[in-house]
Amino acid sequence: MGLTRRWVPHVVSLLLSLCFWLFVSAGALEIFDQDTPEFTCSKGLTDCHVDQAPFSDDFPDPYSKVDVTQLQLESVLCCSNKQNCSLCLQVTITLQADEMGIVTDVSEESGDDGEKEDFVKVHFSVPGTLDCWKILYFKQSNTTVGKSTYKLLLREKVQFGSPVMVSVDSKSQNMTLPSLKNVCDEEPNGTIKECGPRLCVKDQGRNVKLQLVKADVRQGDAITWQMVWDKIPAEQREWPKEKDEVVIPSDFVAPCLCFQAWWKGSLRTQICPFKNNEGALENMQHSVSATLVESQLRNGGIGLIWNVSAPCILEAEVWLCKKGQVGGQCEEVMGSRQRLQAKWDERSNRYLQTGEFDVPSHPLLCVQMKINGTKSLLEPQCPFATSRLRWSVVLIIGLLLVCLAILGAYLIQGILQGYVWKWLKDEDVKGAVGGVHVVLLYPPDDNPCLPELLCHLGSSLQSLGFSVSLDLWSHAELSMLGPVPWLHSQLDQLQRQGGKVVLVLTQASWTKAEEWGAQRSERKRHVKEEEAGRDYPGSSRCADVFSASLSCVLADYLQGRAGERFMLVQFESLPPEPPGSFRPLPELFRGLHVYSLPSQSLGFLTELAGARQVATASARRKRAGGLRMASRALAQRLSAFTTGSNVLRLVGVHQSCVAVGGEDSGETVPLQPSLITPPSSPDTDLQGSEMEWA
């Protein structure tokens, strides 16, 4: 319904004392410790004990008659340290004694022997179970003078809600024991394991807070709770751990809203704090809707069908009204008023009711509704009203055409970008790089995307005119020569053609460099020990080209040529360190330039191409333009391969680590600052050491 949503300030003003009432209402049943004897006698009686048998014939007949004057039954709790309580029935038997004692009609067999015990038989009868007999033994003290009253107290464990009949002598009494729910409503939670957690509600202005009574929270037990509207339950949720309240938005408040909570295996605690609350009824109006449609009626004619949807079963009236001028009142159509019936249909977790008006549709005809108990009407619904703003259709069509034009231009731009590379002058790009040799190295890595990404980078560099060597493409040579000779052959080619060895900076290479530096320091210490006459284990041989290159990086630094032959590159889609981590670069790599691809493609290609002597300013501009075109093409290819910096890190995305996405139009801002490391020492203790080649 088009009712304006509003919050009634005092929706739950009557609930402010609910939590306090729950605290003070506990303790209705008397509590006894389980260690207390089940049978006790009042003062004046001694040697009290009890015996039990399933049949009355199992006990001897009394040799004397006990004068039982009163029988009283009472429900109590039998607990262990006021916890793990169970329901018990306390039977109080009152005996009357005179100058002759509490027994009468003494048989001849009893004689005057004061050592004989007196006893009474107690009969328990519970429907659906076997009868039980108990005999209570006792002796009367000789110090009693005159008339006296004695009491016998017997406690027996019973089931919640069961009827029971107790008979003693000629007296009997029936009692229906309290149900578990009634006991849980009166007793503090935690004393009875089967009881659920206790809830209370507090008004917090625009929200309502559902709270747990702290004394009721059982340590370590998970609590489940849910909201229920007129027996329609919402989704079950787990109560937040270490919190004693949950905030309920005011939109959910309705007169029929109840809250349930329970522990696993316990009774469900339920409170319905908004029942018969006028403020909650007013607040619910935004959740009630009434609709009107033209349809076939039950008599076969064409008329109007009304539908009312609400979260609660409510009493209301609906009627037709005629809408006047804009902003005017909707005048009721006399004779159209209908009352909602008591029976509602439950569909889609809401209550629905339908009726009909035997009238044709009209542009000014609306349906209006009023909920009993509220002061305001719901906003009328006018589904057949003709819009007076016909020009808005033209405006909408114009906006759609503009949006289509913008979308078409964007698509055309994307298509044109795919042909940009064909329009580039290949001689300008290849003249800028000039056949420079590039060696791509990376350590063995568990990431399945890295080899494909390296192959794509190598192919892209080849298409730009570079000469590229990659250990993935040279398995036959590596098998025949080994990693160290193969690496030196590539370094010789670099010396002839120019270029760089590009070390890929990943989490694995980062860790490899740190371990390599630590192992080298350890080997130095062992060398000193060997010189002192001690044995040490020999160093392991390089198993891959990347490990062999680390010795060359160190040798370049020691010769004062750090960064001449080696450089670092990292991929923004495979960052070498987790987000937010700022650990320092391994000492072995300090002094090498680090470039982030694809955002720093221009600097990367500029260093690969190297510095050249250019005679004229025109040639310098031409070379700079070629490098810019080459960097733009490289960035677009890498971006299209990885589809941004986040795709390769999504869970479950494999597809050969290739995803097609939009291309970047040019240089972009890097994901993290460029790591251009200063030409400082990889390790302060490396300067005085000799070069070590793999």
Side-chain angles (χ1 to χ4, degrees), residues 317-538:
E317 290 181 326
V318 294
W319 61 88
L320 291 174
C321 65
K322 186 177 180 181
K323 191 78 170 178
Q325 297 180 354
V326 177
Q329 296 294 328
C330 193
E331 298 181 2
E332 180 180 354
V333 177
M334 302 306 296
S336 65
R337 189 174 290 254
Q338 298 183 20
R339 184 178 297 274
L340 272 66
Q341 304 297 321
K343 186 177 181 181
W344 289 61
D345 292 330
E346 180 186 336
R347 302 176 189 172
S348 303
N349 294 329
R350 290 177 67 86
Y351 287 96
L352 304 174
Q353 195 164 133
T354 302
E356 60 185 36
F357 297 114
D358 193 3
V359 295
S361 62
H362 189 275
L364 300 180
L365 209 55
C366 309
V367 61
Q368 198 160 37
M369 177 180 175
K370 183 180 184 299
I371 302 173
N372 294 357
T374 61
K375 300 178 181 178
S376 57
L377 302 177
L378 272 70
E379 196 72 21
Q381 293 295 296
C382 308
F384 311 111
T386 303
S387 175
R388 299 183 181 183
L389 303 176
R390 298 179 181 272
W391 56 268
S392 61
V393 177
V394 179
L395 179 61
I396 293 175
I397 294 176
L399 289 175
L400 288 176
L401 292 177
V402 171
C403 293
L404 290 175
I406 294 174
L407 180 62
Y410 178 77
L411 293 176
I412 292 174
Q413 180 187 13
I415 295 173
L416 291 177
Q417 284 181 349
Y419 292 97
V420 168
W421 179 248
K422 295 182 179 179
W423 299 341
L424 294 177
K425 297 180 179 180
D426 292 343
E427 60 274 12
D428 290 344
V429 174
K430 294 182 179 179
V433 298
V436 172
H437 188 57
V438 179
V439 182
L440 296 178
L441 299 181
Y442 78 102
D445 198 295
D446 294 334
N447 194 323
C449 301
L450 187 59
E452 294 189 32
L453 190 54
L454 260 293
C455 292
H456 190 76
L457 175 61
S459 300
S460 301
L461 292 176
Q462 281 184 334
S463 65
L464 296 175
F466 288 96
S467 170
V468 180
S469 292
L470 178 61
D471 54 357
L472 286 172
W473 300 342
S474 307
H475 287 304
E477 291 182 55
L478 281 169
S479 299
M480 208 165 39
L481 299 177
V484 176
W486 184 86
L487 175 61
H488 282 286
S489 67
Q490 299 299 322
L491 293 176
D492 292 340
Q493 189 174 351
L494 282 178
Q495 189 175 0
R496 295 191 304 270
Q497 294 181 226
K500 290 288 182 95
V501 176
V502 179
L503 304 178
V504 180
L505 188 61
T506 63
Q507 294 184 11
S509 61
W510 195 301
T511 304
K512 173 78 75 174
E514 290 178 336
E515 292 177 351
W516 192 90
Q519 291 175 359
R520 185 185 176 284
S521 298
E522 183 67 17
R523 287 198 301 270
K524 285 179 58 180
R525 184 179 64 83
H526 286 312
V527 167
K528 294 179 180 179
E529 293 178 355
E530 186 185 42
E531 291 175 354
R534 302 175 184 174
D535 294 333
Y536 67 94

Side-chain angles (χ1 to χ4, degrees), residues 31-42:
I31 296 177
F32 287 88
D33 196 287
Q34 290 183 351
D35 296 333
T36 304
E38 63 173 322
F39 172 49
T40 57
C41 301
S42 62

Side-chain angles (χ1 to χ4, degrees), residues 2-15:
L3 179 66
T4 302
R5 297 176 59 179
R6 56 188 179 272
W7 170 250
V8 180
H10 303 291
V11 168
V12 287
S13 59
L14 298 179
L15 306 174

